[in-house]
Amino acid sequence: MELRHLRYFIATGEEQHYGRAARRLRVAQPALSRQIQDLEEELGFKLFHRLPRGVELSSAGKLFLEDAQRILQEISDAAARAGRVASGRLGTLRLGFTENSCWRGVVPESFRRFRELQPDAELQLQPSASMEQIEAIRSGRLDAGFVNFMPKSDPDLDQIPVARQQVELAAPKGHPLANLKKLRLRDLTDVPFIWFPRSPSPAFYDRLMHECYRGGLKSPHIVQEGLNEATILSLVSSGLGVGWVLGTARWRCPETVVVLPVSDLNMPLTLALAWRRDNASPLLANFVRDVRRLPDVRAVNK
């Protein structure tokens, strides 16, 4: 039994007439009649009672018509769903992002545009550290992620820079450092610091330590470690010390905290969208295309 048998049977059952069914299907009436006969022989029972003018469904034919109509509709729906997946309009996209990147800029804007342009697709978001995201992308647990500390080249991963941010200093509001017209690294000697741990990004940690040493902050007075930017901001707000954050932290830091640029610290940090080169998901391809079109991303990649 083939799909054309069902289509011919449905048309004949709905029209109750071979001639009208043949015209509807745009086939010759003898060919239609042969297909119905072949279907009845395969099933082993009659679907129609032949009348002087037209045909009438048998009891078995009436039941079979209902099921045949349902089957063809399900096949049509399945083909439509598969077409939406193939065109990147349906499916699931699993994205990672760092907590400090989602407050403003490209990351939240990309999520908003995805919801707007792909309303039938599912977006699964997973906040996690950059290195954890990269491992999840490699293993296939994530389709893509917004990560810091991305290697310049990787044989397995592709990427596009989406933002560049500067490392700046978070300090309690009213701290003497906030009154300096030009804050330098040497001004931070003996100031209590909430520092971040080295393990998430040893290369970045070592580079920052080198830049501090070069600028005169040779031995930072670290009183506490903060696992992430939110923790550092919270501890700075409590007056425990100052801490390094990204400049974008000023958009979400507590009212009791100010974010200050340090004039001789040049530590730009690139945020990139990364994904596996061999990930053939049309939904991912659409997402990457739409991110590339964002004005802020185009500016970064000029």
Side-chain angles (χ1 to χ4, degrees):
M1 186 185 303
E2 299 179 11
L3 288 179
R4 73 169 184 276
H5 291 113
L6 295 183
R7 287 196 293 268
Y8 287 7
F9 165 67
I10 290 171
T12 306
E14 291 176 347
E15 297 291 343
Q16 302 279 290
H17 193 279
Y18 278 117
R20 290 195 296 269
R23 288 192 294 272
R24 171 174 154 183
L25 294 168
R26 298 183 179 180
V27 298
Q29 183 174 331
L32 172 64
S33 180
R34 284 196 302 272
Q35 293 294 324
I36 296 298
Q37 290 175 4
D38 291 344
L39 180 58
E40 288 178 325
E41 290 178 3
E42 182 174 350
L43 292 172
F45 54 82
K46 290 293 184 181
L47 296 169
F48 296 100
H49 299 303
R50 275 63 177 177
L51 304 175
R53 294 184 178 179
V55 293
E56 180 183 65
L57 283 164
S58 66
S59 297
K62 290 178 182 179
L63 181 61
F64 190 66
L65 178 61
E66 294 177 2
D67 288 338
Q69 290 169 328
R70 175 182 52 78
I71 289 168
L72 278 194
Q73 185 59 52
E74 289 178 351
I75 291 172
S76 176
D77 293 344
R81 287 194 299 272
R84 291 198 295 274
V85 170
S87 63
R89 291 179 290 127
L90 189 67
T92 300
L93 185 66
R94 301 160 301 167
L95 291 178
F97 64 97
T98 55
E99 185 269 345
N100 60 4
S101 69
C102 67
W103 290 89
R104 185 181 176 89
V106 169
V107 175
E109 177 64 11
S110 70
F111 296 161
R112 185 193 66 78
R113 285 179 61 84
F114 181 90
R115 296 291 192 193
E116 179 182 298
L117 299 175
Q118 320 289 344
D120 297 328
E122 180 184 3
L123 181 61
Q124 293 182 358
L125 300 176
Q126 181 177 323
S128 58
S130 294
M131 296 300 104
E132 293 174 359
Q133 286 187 63
I134 292 174
E135 292 176 5
I137 294 168
R138 290 187 189 281
S139 67
R141 300 193 308 275
L142 285 178
D143 293 304
F146 289 97
V147 300
N148 295 309
F149 321 120
M150 188 66 193
K152 291 184 178 180
S153 62
D154 190 294
D156 299 322
L157 303 182
D158 209 344
Q159 63 176 295
I160 50 172
V162 299
R164 288 193 179 92
Q165 306 169 81
Q166 285 289 341
V167 175
E168 300 188 24
L169 187 76
K173 188 171 287 186
H175 195 283
L177 293 173
N179 298 324
L180 297 178
K181 291 183 178 180
K182 191 174 185 180
L183 180 60
R184 297 177 178 273
L185 285 165
R186 64 171 179 260
D187 298 321
L188 305 177
T189 302
D190 298 328
V191 174
F193 258 99
I194 297 101
W195 212 274
F196 54 90
R198 185 176 184 272
S199 56
S201 181
F204 184 77
Y205 183 100
D206 294 345
R207 181 184 166 200
L208 179 58
M209 281 293 192
H210 175 76
E211 291 296 317
C212 288
Y213 186 89
R214 181 190 55 78
L217 180 59
K218 297 185 177 181
S219 182
H221 179 40
I222 300 173
V223 297
Q224 180 66 46
E225 282 192 343
L227 293 177
N228 52 45
E229 192 174 83
T231 302
I232 291 174
L233 288 170
S234 176
L235 294 176
V236 171
S237 178
S238 70
L240 192 61
V242 300
W244 298 117
V245 296
L246 295 180
T248 52
R250 58 174 42 87
W251 300 110
R252 52 90 171 226
C253 67
E255 294 182 356
T256 55
V257 174
V258 293
V259 177
L260 308 170
V262 179
S263 61
D264 56 345
L265 178 63
N266 183 24
M267 285 284 294
L269 189 62
T270 298
L271 179 69
L273 174 64
W275 65 96
R276 279 182 62 112
R277 294 179 187 273
D278 60 358
N279 189 328
S281 164
L283 198 58
L284 173 62
N286 285 353
F287 182 78
V288 172
R289 178 202 63 203
D290 293 336
V291 168
R292 289 185 190 276
R293 292 175 176 175
L294 292 174
D296 289 348
V297 175
R298 292 202 304 267
V300 169
N301 289 277
K302 279 184 178 179

